[in-house]
Structures are given as structure tokens and as C-alpha cells.
Amino acid sequence: MTVMTRTKFDVVALSKHIGAEIRGLDLREKPDDETVRAIYQAWLDHLVIVFPGQKLSQEDLIRATGYFGELGELSRPPKYFPKGYSSLLPGIMLISNIRENGEPIGALPDGEMMFHHDMIHAEVPSKATLLYSVEIPSTGGNTLFASGYAAYDTLDPAVRERLEGRRATHHYNYGSTQKGDNRGTVAFAECTHPVFRTHEDTGRKAVYVNRLMTVGILDMPPAQSEPLLNAVFDHAEKREFVYEHVWRVGDLLLWDNRCSSHARTDFPSSERRLMLRTTVKGTVRPY
Ligand SMILES: [Fe+2]
């Protein structure tokens, strides 16, 4: 009889409010159910999990994504594949600035990206995103993660009272990294969600608006909503609520789009950056 014992791992917090590194796990191996539950709990507690030093195949990445829910179908099959890849499994998307014949092979190729929640402009936004680094530039391209819980808990009560119970409108042009940036494809989507979201697993409330995609408050004139939203963005992006991840090759990151937002710092366009991305489908409409 095989006795299943929980794989031991260490959880090391990376900042006061957000981010933890899970040490001692090789995701090529299949953790038992109890280990998966413990990883899930660490994720709920820390919002962003770093699994360093991984050597994942595409199958490994798909399997690890499944520990956190149902694999999202988002994909954008590339015209050209980077060296070492002849195909991509469904659900895996390339984030890359590598160019073939002058065209980027992946999505969101260049530069800085403002704070955002992935897919907030959809009716049921992605629950989680996983990003696995294959090639990184020598500097920059860091990912900043901000805790929406910490921002909500410490928000100026006067601002919070005016926005409590309100809904915000989100708009996004696929492929853009800055607000009002119409580069990329013409496809876009728009949706409204509560300004403060209650997380269905933890019951905690988080700021659920962001500088890149939130364009207004439902039933509130822009002259009133703009200063309020800017106050929330400025507060939510304060360094004290943020963990900045400096990538190493082999890092797998997992983040919770229900209670955190993220941004990217600039990096040299002359250097290659290649990441594999998967998403976990949302299960509920934000409330
Ligand atoms: Fe993102």
C-alpha cells in the first residue's frame, strides 16, 4: 500500500501585504491533493505566489494551472514560434517582444504597462494568471503587484463612502499597455463591475478598479468620478502595498486577479523577453 504524505514546502513572504515564495516544490512532480490544498491556501493568504527554479514543459504548466481551477481558453496562436517550440498547447499564450520578419511573435511585446486586472473588461474575468519565464532581459520588465485588500482597508473613508455600492466601467483595447493607446488590434470589450469586489473564497473586499482599464463610474458624471478614481489609483499603487518581482529564468508566478492588480516596468526593446502564460477561468460574476 502506498502511503501518500504531503510534500513539504516552505512559504516565505516577500512583502508585508502581497507575495510569497514557495520553496522546495518541483512542479514537474505531481503533488498530492493535500499539498495542492496547502498551495491554494498559501495563494489565498499571499495573493501572488512565486515558484522559483522550475523547468516546466507545456504539459507541466497546463497541469499546474489546473490546481487553481479550470484552464482558460484564451489563446492567440502565434504566426511564428520561438526556438525550441514547434507548437503551443491550447490555453498557452506567448508574451514576447521577439520579432520574426519584423512582427512580434507574442502579445504585449514592448515596454511599460500600467496597473490592471487581467480581463476585468469581461463579464466573468479570469480568476488567476500564471506566467512562466523562459527568456528575460538583463534589466527591467519587472512585474509590480498591488494588494487590493490593503488598498481597500486603508482607503480614505470619505473616498470609500462615495464609491461603496457603485459600479465602474472598464474598457480595453487588446494589445495596449497604456490608457488611450489604440495600437494593437481594433477589438475591444467593455463591462461594468463593483468598484470594490468581495472575494468569493476569502470574503474579503478589495479595490477592483485600475488605471489602465477603468474609464468611469456608472451614473456619475466624469467631473465627479475622475478625481475619485484618480485618488483610488494613487492610493492603490503606493509602494507600501506593492511587491516588485525581478524575474529569473525558471520563475513561475501565479496571481489572483480578484484581489490584486499588476503593472510592468520598461525594459530594453533590443533584448529578448519570452514568457508562457495561462489563465484560470473565473467562476462567478464579481459582486
Ligand atoms: Fe496583465
Side-chain angles (χ1 to χ4, degrees), residues 106-237:
L108 305 170
D110 300 310
E112 197 181 358
M113 194 161 181
M114 285 177 161
F115 274 94
H116 63 280
H117 302 72
D118 290 335
M119 298 300 293
I120 201 173
H121 56 293
E123 287 284 328
V124 180
S126 302
K127 174 180 172 183
T129 305
L130 291 92
L131 199 56
Y132 176 60
S133 80
V134 180
E135 288 185 67
I136 55 169
S138 61
T139 179
N142 302 342
T143 308
L144 301 159
F145 294 97
S147 166
Y149 294 143
Y152 177 81
D153 291 344
T154 56
L155 191 59
D156 177 351
V159 174
R160 190 160 68 183
E161 274 164 33
R162 293 190 62 194
L163 292 171
E164 199 75 66
R166 293 280 192 161
R167 296 179 72 82
T169 306
H170 310 283
H171 175 107
Y172 186 54
N173 279 307
Y174 294 117
S176 66
T177 57
Q178 303 294 314
K179 196 169 226 161
D181 179 351
N182 290 317
R183 284 177 306 177
T185 67
V186 291
F188 67 91
E190 192 167 285
C191 211
T192 70
H193 294 301
V195 172
F196 305 124
R197 175 174 181 165
T198 304
H199 192 291
E200 64 269 23
D201 283 339
T202 66
R204 294 183 68 188
K205 273 185 155 183
V207 166
Y208 199 56
V209 290
N210 66 67
R211 204 182 290 276
L212 178 64
M213 295 149 101
T214 307
V215 292
I217 305 291
L218 205 61
D219 302 324
M220 189 186 279
Q224 284 175 34
S225 66
E226 274 170 25
L228 279 173
L229 282 171
N230 283 328
V232 178
F233 302 151
D234 290 345
H235 177 72
E237 296 172 11

Side-chain angles (χ1 to χ4, degrees), residues 2-279:
T2 317
V3 180
M4 296 288 277
T5 53
R6 207 188 101 180
T7 314
K8 293 223 168 22
F9 60 80
D10 292 317
V11 180
V12 180
L14 295 166
S15 80
K16 187 176 173 202
H17 295 291
I18 185 165
E21 191 167 289
I22 288 192
R23 294 185 186 154
L25 266 191
D26 181 343
L27 291 169
R28 288 176 299 188
E29 290 159 16
K30 293 174 189 161
D32 58 74
D33 293 348
E34 201 189 330
T35 305
V36 170
R37 277 194 292 276
I39 298 170
Y40 197 96
Q41 187 58 49
W43 178 50
L44 293 182
D45 294 344
H46 295 281
L47 296 68
V48 175
I49 294 292
V50 178
F51 301 94
Q54 303 295 319
K55 291 193 179 74
L56 305 182
S57 65
Q58 293 189 48
E59 287 78 7
D60 294 330
L61 178 57
I62 296 283
R63 188 180 58 252
T65 304
Y67 301 152
F68 307 99
E70 193 184 339
L71 176 72
E73 284 149 6
L74 288 174
S75 65
R76 206 176 299 178
K79 268 195 205 159
Y80 304 100
F81 289 93
K83 202 164 162 269
Y85 296 86
S86 55
S87 63
L88 286 180
L89 290 178
I92 296 186
M93 191 166 146
L94 293 178
I95 304 293
S96 185
N97 66 342
I98 298 171
R99 286 172 162 79
E100 291 283 349
N101 300 330
E103 267 183 75
I105 60 169
L108 305 170
D110 300 310
E112 197 181 358
M113 194 161 181
M114 285 177 161
F115 274 94
H116 63 280
H117 302 72
D118 290 335
M119 298 300 293
I120 201 173
H121 56 293
E123 287 284 328
V124 180
S126 302
K127 174 180 172 183
T129 305
L130 291 92
L131 199 56
Y132 176 60
S133 80
V134 180
E135 288 185 67
I136 55 169
S138 61
T139 179
N142 302 342
T143 308
L144 301 159
F145 294 97
S147 166
Y149 294 143
Y152 177 81
D153 291 344
T154 56
L155 191 59
D156 177 351
V159 174
R160 190 160 68 183
E161 274 164 33
R162 293 190 62 194
L163 292 171
E164 199 75 66
R166 293 280 192 161
R167 296 179 72 82
T169 306
H170 310 283
H171 175 107
Y172 186 54
N173 279 307
Y174 294 117
S176 66
T177 57
Q178 303 294 314
K179 196 169 226 161
D181 179 351
N182 290 317
R183 284 177 306 177
T185 67
V186 291
F188 67 91
E190 192 167 285
C191 211
T192 70
H193 294 301
V195 172
F196 305 124
R197 175 174 181 165
T198 304
H199 192 291
E200 64 269 23
D201 283 339
T202 66
R204 294 183 68 188
K205 273 185 155 183
V207 166
Y208 199 56
V209 290
N210 66 67
R211 204 182 290 276
L212 178 64
M213 295 149 101
T214 307
V215 292
I217 305 291
L218 205 61
D219 302 324
M220 189 186 279
Q224 284 175 34
S225 66
E226 274 170 25
L228 279 173
L229 282 171
N230 283 328
V232 178
F233 302 151
D234 290 345
H235 177 72
E237 296 172 11
K238 282 182 185 157
R239 287 306 293 206
E240 64 199 277
F241 308 133
V242 167
Y243 163 65
E244 178 166 6
H245 187 69
V246 179
W247 289 88
R248 300 153 295 195
V249 168
D251 280 342
L252 174 67
L253 264 66
L254 156 74
W255 62 85
D256 193 331
N257 287 305
R258 301 167 293 182
C259 55
S260 70
S261 59
H262 55 280
R264 183 170 78 188
T265 66
D266 204 4
F267 60 96
S269 58
S270 55
E271 294 189 39
R272 290 161 66 100
R273 190 173 189 266
L274 174 62
M275 310 265 178
L276 302 185
R277 187 178 104 153
T278 58
T279 56

